[in-house]
Amino acid sequence: MKRSVVAVALVSGLAVSGCGQGLLGGDDKEDKGNILIGMDIPLSGDSAEIGPYMKNGAQLAIDEINGKGGVLGGRKLELRAEDDACDPKTAVAAANKLVSAGVKVSVSGYCSGATLPTLPVFDRAKIPMIIPVANSAELAAQKLKHVFMINGTGDQQAAAAFTWLKKDGATKVAVMHDNTSYSKDIADRTAAALDAAGAPDKSSVEAITPKETDFSAAVTSVLKGKPDYIYFTGYYAEGGLLIRQFKQAGYKGKFLVGDGSVADKLAQVAGGKNAEGVYATMTPTPATLQGAEGWIASYKSKFGAAPGPYSTQAYDGIRLAAEAITKADSTDSDKIVKALEGMNGFKLFSGPLKFTPQHTIVGGFEIQVVKNGTFVLQEKLP
């Protein structure tokens, strides 16, 4: 899980008068040009596979909206993506670039640890921020007026993990995380659920360091508890290495991973058939959504490849931003926030939207499994 932005784009040749008020979330009286939608997403680094899926999903939504006449009486949307590399410092720099460009709404965030420090950047500038993917409880805990989350939260994912572990007959579970905000939050909540229930047993909780490649010490420590299930809540780069190294160490039990590990590269990093049968707690992807065939065909036609994880969430984030601007009849931040808070039934891929008072949604998680190197649906959860 884990771990996007509307701005007024200045048409080439126009003066920058009025841009200052745009930076403060003011109304759109000064500018009737394109509305720039910005995204702060990973286009480099260990999570670089995800960024293009999100960018393409966003662009597809923009093209559809513009094809139907745009918003606010014909104003077109325009996408600008900045690379946050899933790194906090890089993410803040990217967010500041988008603010300087005159953004009006942010539709940003994959890695929670990188997304968290960007929240005050957008909030101080009075820019509504729709977070399509990042889902650490720390994001909602900031209680910022301008921040809205449209992915299931960490506590919901932990609950899904516990439900599946119990249903699949786990007896001893080792919980592993990478000490990032998103990963540790889900791991801690899952461990607490195991402790409270008493069954399955929690054999251990182990942390690894991101970007390392040798996890032999952690593997040895975990195996001492003789788990029959390992739940890793971090990202796919480390997740793939852990799976490979556990297999090499002789582990015969099952793996469950969090949504940050849902990418085809998990199997590539794990090597060979090591990732076959690995389960994941995940919100629906294009491949597991019923009735998404037409959308998938449109995506393939435009980008020449199949959509991947979080392309639909980014698509929905842009649609939601456009809907809020339309309902507000303005790019004024206060009016957009009010429109977002008043949403009731707007259709996302995940279902009808209604925000909680904490600006989160009740997200539906499902269990996916790796078959032939890719994640497919295993089972829907209540």
Side-chain angles (χ1 to χ4, degrees):
M1 232 244 41
K2 28 232 118 175
R3 304 209 271 219
S4 304
V5 180
V6 181
V8 177
L10 296 174
V11 179
S12 177
L14 291 183
V16 296
S17 61
C19 184
Q21 187 168 357
L23 297 179
L24 295 176
D27 63 36
D28 55 332
K29 293 179 180 179
E30 301 87 351
D31 190 349
K32 295 297 181 182
N34 289 358
I35 298 174
L36 183 65
I37 303 196
M39 300 188 76
D40 202 340
I41 52 175
L43 297 171
S44 65
D46 289 342
S47 296
E49 180 179 6
I50 300 298
Y53 291 137
M54 295 179 67
K55 183 179 179 181
N56 290 347
Q59 188 63 57
L60 183 58
I62 286 174
D63 290 348
E64 290 178 357
I65 292 165
N66 287 345
K68 295 177 181 178
V71 298
L72 302 183
R75 294 179 65 181
K76 298 299 178 69
L77 305 180
E78 180 181 338
L79 182 67
R80 176 175 301 178
E82 293 289 347
D83 180 19
D84 70 10
C86 273
D87 173 77
K89 290 184 179 179
T90 306
V92 169
N96 279 313
K97 286 181 182 178
L98 294 172
V99 171
S100 295
V103 302
K104 296 291 185 181
V105 179
S106 158
V107 186
S108 301
Y110 171 68
C111 292
S112 293
T115 304
L116 187 62
T118 69
L119 268 58
V121 175
F122 293 115
D123 191 64
R124 283 195 298 266
K126 298 182 180 180
I127 296 167
M129 181 179 187
I130 297 169
I131 303 176
V133 181
N135 59 6
S136 169
E138 288 190 41
L139 300 170
Q142 305 307 304
K143 298 180 180 179
L144 297 177
K145 171 184 176 180
H146 299 88
V147 177
F148 296 80
M149 299 168 64
I150 62 170
N151 195 14
T153 56
D155 56 340
Q156 294 164 2
Q157 183 162 189
F162 175 78
T163 298
W164 175 253
L165 291 166
K166 189 172 182 178
K167 182 173 184 177
D168 201 38
T171 58
K172 296 186 73 175
V173 180
V175 182
M176 302 187 70
H177 63 86
D178 64 9
N179 261 326
T180 61
S181 167
Y182 142 82
S183 179
K184 189 174 186 302
D185 174 56
I186 297 171
D188 287 347
R189 292 173 184 274
T190 304
L194 291 167
D195 285 338
D201 286 338
K202 182 191 71 184
S203 65
S204 62
V205 177
E206 191 80 27
I208 63 167
T209 302
K211 301 188 185 300
E212 287 190 353
T213 56
D214 181 2
F215 301 120
S216 56
V219 169
T220 299
S221 177
V222 167
L223 290 181
K224 286 180 180 178
K226 298 182 179 180
D228 62 346
Y229 234 116
I230 296 171
Y231 182 34
F232 174 64
T233 59
Y235 295 92
Y236 61 80
E238 291 79 15
L241 288 173
L242 277 171
I243 291 168
R244 181 197 300 177
Q245 291 173 28
F246 270 109
K247 292 282 190 179
Q248 291 171 342
Y251 176 66
K252 302 298 184 183
K254 297 180 179 180
F255 289 98
L256 177 67
V257 296
D259 54 354
S261 282
V262 177
D264 288 349
K265 271 199 172 181
L266 179 85
Q268 297 171 25
V269 174
K273 295 184 177 180
N274 287 335
E276 289 296 299
V278 169
Y279 296 105
T281 48
M282 182 63 179
T283 47
T285 61
T288 68
L289 281 165
Q290 292 185 344
E293 293 81 7
W295 186 88
I296 292 172
S298 296
Y299 185 104
K300 286 182 176 179
S301 176
K302 183 169 184 63
F303 303 109
Y310 303 113
S311 50
T312 52
Q313 284 88 340
Y315 174 87
D316 277 344
I318 297 298
R319 291 178 55 247
L320 178 59
E323 179 72 4
I325 291 171
T326 299
K327 285 186 174 297
D329 195 27
S330 172
T331 58
D332 175 77
S333 65
D334 289 338
K335 293 178 181 178
I336 292 173
V337 166
K338 185 176 180 180
L340 287 168
E341 290 177 335
M343 290 287 175
N344 190 354
F346 182 69
K347 292 183 179 179
L348 304 179
F349 274 107
S350 58
L353 173 70
K354 183 175 177 62
F355 284 111
T356 69
Q358 294 74 39
H359 292 183
T360 61
I361 67 168
V362 179
F365 280 87
E366 62 189 23
I367 300 299
Q368 298 184 8
V369 64
V370 177
K371 289 186 178 180
N372 299 318
T374 192
F375 283 94
V376 298
L377 179 65
Q378 171 69 23
E379 183 174 322
K380 296 283 187 182
L381 295 177

